[in-house]
Amino acid sequence: MQKLKDLMRFKFFGVLSLFLIFATYLYAHTPDEGMWTFDNPPVKQLKEKYGFVPTQEWLDHVRLSSVRFMDGGSGSFVSPNGLVMTNHHVAVGQLQKLSTPEKDLVNTGFYARSYEEELKCPDLELNVLVEMENVTDRVLAAAKEGMSEEEALKAREAEIAKIEKESLEKTGLRSNVVELYHGGEYWLYRYKKYTDVRLVFAPERQAAYFGGDLDNFTYPRYDLDVAFFRVYEDDKPAQIKHYFTWNSKGAGENELVFVSGNPGSTNRLYTMAQIKFQRDYYYPLILDYINRRIAILEEYAKQGPEQERQALIQIFGLKNAQKALSGEYKGLLNEDIIATRQALEDELRTKIKSNPDWEAAYGDAWETISKLIDQYKNRVKPNFFRRIIGSRLASLALQIVRYTEEIEKPDGERLDGYHDSQLEERKFYLLSPAPIYKGLEKANLAGGLAMSLEYLGKDDPFVKMVLKGKSPEEVAKELIEKTKLDDVDYRKKLLEGGKKAVQKSQDPLIVLMRKIDPILREERDWYKENIEGKLTIANEKIAKARFAVYGKSAYPDATFTLRLAYGTVKGYPMNGTEAPYKTTLYGLYDRALSFDQKKDFWLPERFWNHQKDLDLSTPVNFVSTCDIIGGNSGSPVINKDAEIVGLIFDGNIESLVGRFIYNEKTNRAVAVHSAYIIEALRKLYDANKLVDEILGSATRAEH
Amino acid sequence: MQKLKDLMRFKFFGVLSLFLIFATYLYAHTPDEGMWTFDNPPVKQLKEKYGFVPTQEWLDHVRLSSVRFMDGGSGSFVSPNGLVMTNHHVAVGQLQKLSTPEKDLVNTGFYARSYEEELKCPDLELNVLVEMENVTDRVLAAAKEGMSEEEALKAREAEIAKIEKESLEKTGLRSNVVELYHGGEYWLYRYKKYTDVRLVFAPERQAAYFGGDLDNFTYPRYDLDVAFFRVYEDDKPAQIKHYFTWNSKGAGENELVFVSGNPGSTNRLYTMAQIKFQRDYYYPLILDYINRRIAILEEYAKQGPEQERQALIQIFGLKNAQKALSGEYKGLLNEDIIATRQALEDELRTKIKSNPDWEAAYGDAWETISKLIDQYKNRVKPNFFRRIIGSRLASLALQIVRYTEEIEKPDGERLDGYHDSQLEERKFYLLSPAPIYKGLEKANLAGGLAMSLEYLGKDDPFVKMVLKGKSPEEVAKELIEKTKLDDVDYRKKLLEGGKKAVQKSQDPLIVLMRKIDPILREERDWYKENIEGKLTIANEKIAKARFAVYGKSAYPDATFTLRLAYGTVKGYPMNGTEAPYKTTLYGLYDRALSFDQKKDFWLPERFWNHQKDLDLSTPVNFVSTCDIIGGNSGSPVINKDAEIVGLIFDGNIESLVGRFIYNEKTNRAVAVHSAYIIEALRKLYDANKLVDEILGSATRAEH
């Protein structure tokens, strides 16, 4: 008997070992990881893990139904009449620009009951990715044998500008060359562009952002973070062929779902030297910068309710960044994460070393990057603080000075951002009629100058030139009070007058920018010459090393271009227990009352007045393992039938380290449930017409 | 201007520094820490931090209204008619013992609508601490100059037994000498004892333990973890002078509250050597032991619903311990916590070293403990596994063998637990009519023997003697099937027959215990001789060192005796956001539906049938900074007016490390809100009569 038992125990451990090996295999090879380009979707993973094979038609439909918000965010078409869904927090900048002291759309929300009532946004551009072309060979061929790294970099930049210009001229489409895999590939992306975008619906911010900065980047959540716009062409609602249909039931637990959106940036392919630079130099600096900027804005907001309204969106953005970056920084301080990343790098480098050809071609790249970073370290502060921080007017001034100067050069020699193919976009923002608040500008500029002074010291040439021995407050007051750049017509006149008009201008901000632009360019040139050229070559080597070892089985770091993520709807271990895969309206009322409606946990009146009309078991938010990051805000969550089941609006706190590494166990994308959007629109906002359009039960004629 | 600004910044930092110093001072000196004895309440802290000075009358009233559950837990009187409130999970052992396969009180709950319907518990003893007397001098004086450490220990033990016996004979009260501050003080505690305790009310377990093992030791929570008993004297409800009145509003956010209960044990005064021993030897072993015992029981429970019912309470207890110990272990693995504890020890030792008298008297104690632990390390496994694990019948057999043997010795020479003053209690449990399940016994015994075999090896003398080469299953089957010890009358006969009857007995468990008791005693004697005596002396030195340095400004480690904790009702930072100070009934429904009522998140029918009757904004659970630990379960939470505002039932996951160190920022005691108990009793359980008694609106006559 004893022997039998021992055998059984052995068998048990045997099975366990097999299971562990299998689990490791599963984990190592098919976690729900990746932000995949549409030219290289994770077909193998989807087939093996979920038995689902997306057709080319499915992929094209999803891509063409997806929308990019140029000011940062994602969205999707949800009706044939140009209706676009995104997050309230993606829309909030436009909401503020459409608001006045008398009519604050951020705090009250907005609903257009007819096309006529829809509000035209001052400077919102939406993009649809209509074509993708691999231009890697052409870009790389621009750098000829014998060129220095800097020359090679410039040649490539010129070639990219040329490709973009040719494409724009040929197709009339927004044409951007995207660098993927840190230089491993270059793709020309062509976008259909919508610049007549009108606001259709937004809830009040308190419903969208219930829980405020505290609950931001956490889960369980209870947010109605949704807004609707409509794109127009020729002053009529655009007719859209590819749009997502709606599924009000949403996705069940463990169901396969997809996210199609524009993740901003990740650093998953960074070398350890780059990661440690981030940890030891970048994050401490950027977090200090953000904390100070928040303090400046909060001080300004204290002056009164109108000042508070003006500052709100900037504070919101900065606090969002503060929480995200703090979480990322915390991840970098975690030794396990550093060790895991180190192990991945060691594995790649060992494999490269094992093949003499690879070693000869790529082996020195890591050391090169490490040396470049050593060189850059001490230059970080001037690089960051030798500029005018925080003032929109100052930024407009600099852009006008550069615009008029750059357009006189051949296209290939211009600063990036001023190539022919980019000028239309540049003008769109330079001539935006969005309001500019001079009080806010003054506070921001004074605070920014004080930061530069503190970080660089009073003897720094940039600081000397800007302050001339005066205090930041004095300088900011003078510059902002006297400038006329808040007037769109004045900006237009300068642009049209070109370099001559700018050089004659006595506007104090223009005068200042004319003087300091050479210093800014010097900083930039130093970086290009000493760091960027060499870094680009080294990064390309590492990208090639990866392709050599792993093939194209990986996805590139995020680049604010369209990506497809996949995963399952699933809770996760949290704080000693489990977070559920979804929340319900019961939970919204619970969280409000748990805090006695204090802090950011109060509910707008309509939630109390209409509580009895609501089905409190309606799912509110849900989580999935989909791999996302900032920029994905507003992305649709769709099921296998490409129906909308939710709307991405956040990641949980455990996902913040996702900038560096994805962990399927706890990394979750947080979305608004499709059922809540319908329930809220109907019962809280009396927006039945909008619901009918979304659900496809209304034709255009009825609208 | 610039200068002014710099000055202001300087001032700001100056103020900040002052604030930090003050905050550190506050934190270092008055966190809401401590489990205080009633002879040394935290009067100074309460006065300074909260401006509240408890009178002696208040303290006496609170103490006399508090109840200890001898089988582990706390409670309180809540009516003049002997009504006692505690947790469902404290009551659940009795609920199981009162259940039958046909009538499962654990799963269905129970409510006695009249005294006649109240169910008498088979073996429940409740205590009220009526008198406390400092006997330190008398105990310490028992150890005479020239005695070895072991002799001194024995002399003190004999003196303690004598004090207890004298007191019992004189007062008739349960009399226990308690060692406080690890030997710094000895107190004689006298308890009024209730052994006729009857069950009045318990909800079904799913309402009490909603969220199950997953949510156990976490917060936010939604549990109705309450039960009511009544103590009887002379077959009539006992008339109680000191009981708590009820406050249905509960406590508001930031309100000062108190917990009066019996924390089981803490290790806050351990030396670093002891802490590291726990981390490296004790926790790995005990966690493995618990995991194995759970596996044994879960295997048994799979046999059928009745087996599942039998095993449930043991599994529950073990899983509770598993989660608690895992949390504690995790705390020990946290380097910050180790460093903090190290700093505290360093501070004390440095202060001792600074005074030559102190150094001479106490300075060697830490090193002594460290050496003792080195000696003990390798003996841990035999010490733990040379015994019969998990079988209640085996435990009864051993106690009967020892009882009959020990009572023939003079009181001072007996094993602890068999002194005259302890015999009544011993018999109470030995003759308990609570059911014993032979199937469960067999499974537990076989599993326990297998563990001893694995840890000690087949050549260990204990293992050899018990197994005689057979398998654990065979031995367990034989012993359990043939023993008659499940029959209370047989146990009674053996006890009454004394040593002679036991020696003649052919009952296989009695026979076995007669044989192995010498081995068990040998283990015990080795420990006493080599470790305990010396450890006691060293601990006493450290206790005296502490008194010398800090005075009696500290509280002793928990000893499952009555303590007073204080704190405020307050949320805490959790998982990137904040946990609210309370939860509501909305949240209960949310959590159930968030999991689609799966796992342990389903709600009993009555919660759906009566949902419309409930006020969903009723607070369910709440948290406070009060310093508690296991054993505090069932403790009343009271306000300054000594009114019940809640009922302790758990600590949050962050509180588990509280065994070693208290952290006010995140350590929280979790309680059932007084309002929920009333709302549930009235609207879900139709127990209006019980509510009337609690609220004092019913007189005894009406009942």
Side-chain angles (χ1 to χ4, degrees), chain A residues 2 214-215 323 453 472 574-578 580-582 584 586-587 590-591 593-594 596 599 611 654, chain B residues 2 214-215 323 453 472 574-578 580-582 584 586-587 590-591 593-594 596 599 611 654:
Chain A
Q2 190 52 41
L214 272 174
D215 275 4
K323 201 162 183 181
L453 172 64
M574 188 194 88
N575 221 51
T577 178
E578 250 178 55
Y581 77 95
K582 68 174 178 190
T584 73
Y586 281 109
D590 175 59
R591 195 140 177 93
L593 293 169
S594 288
D596 295 330
K599 296 182 179 172
Q611 189 191 345
E654 294 86 346
Chain B
Q2 189 53 41
L214 272 175
D215 275 4
K323 200 162 182 182
L453 172 64
M574 188 193 88
N575 222 52
T577 178
E578 250 178 53
Y581 77 95
K582 68 174 177 190
T584 73
Y586 281 108
D590 175 59
R591 195 142 175 91
L593 293 169
S594 288
D596 296 331
K599 297 184 179 172
Q611 188 191 345
E654 295 86 346

Side-chain angles (χ1 to χ4, degrees), chain A residues 1-2 5 9 211 213-220 222 253 292 323 450 453-454 467 470-474 572 574-591 593-596 598-599 601 608 611 616-617 653-654, chain B residues 1-2 5 9 211 213-220 222 253 292 323 450 453-454 467 470-474 572 574-591 593-596 598-599 601 608 611 616-617 653-654:
Chain A
M1 280 287 264
Q2 190 52 41
K5 201 179 153 63
R9 191 155 50 79
D213 296 331
L214 272 174
D215 275 4
N216 192 16
F217 287 114
T218 72
Y219 180 81
Y222 311 90
E253 194 173 10
R292 284 162 187 253
K323 201 162 183 181
L453 172 64
E454 190 178 321
L467 292 184
K470 293 185 207 163
S471 78
E473 288 82 1
E474 277 176 290
Y572 57 97
M574 188 194 88
N575 221 51
T577 178
E578 250 178 55
Y581 77 95
K582 68 174 178 190
T583 62
T584 73
L585 273 172
Y586 281 109
L588 173 65
Y589 288 92
D590 175 59
R591 195 140 177 93
L593 293 169
S594 288
F595 284 94
D596 295 330
K598 286 179 191 163
K599 296 182 179 172
F601 298 102
W608 298 113
Q611 189 191 345
L616 294 184
S617 68
I653 197 90
E654 294 86 346
Chain B
M1 279 287 265
Q2 189 53 41
K5 202 180 152 65
R9 191 154 51 77
D213 297 330
L214 272 175
D215 275 4
N216 192 18
F217 288 114
T218 73
Y219 180 80
Y222 311 91
E253 194 174 10
R292 285 162 187 253
K323 200 162 182 182
L453 172 64
E454 190 179 319
L467 293 184
K470 293 184 206 164
S471 78
E473 288 81 2
E474 277 177 291
Y572 58 97
M574 188 193 88
N575 222 52
T577 178
E578 250 178 53
Y581 77 95
K582 68 174 177 190
T583 62
T584 73
L585 273 171
Y586 281 108
L588 173 65
Y589 288 92
D590 175 59
R591 195 142 175 91
L593 293 169
S594 288
F595 284 94
D596 296 331
K598 288 178 190 165
K599 297 184 179 172
F601 298 102
W608 297 113
Q611 188 191 345
L616 295 183
S617 68
I653 198 90
E654 295 86 346

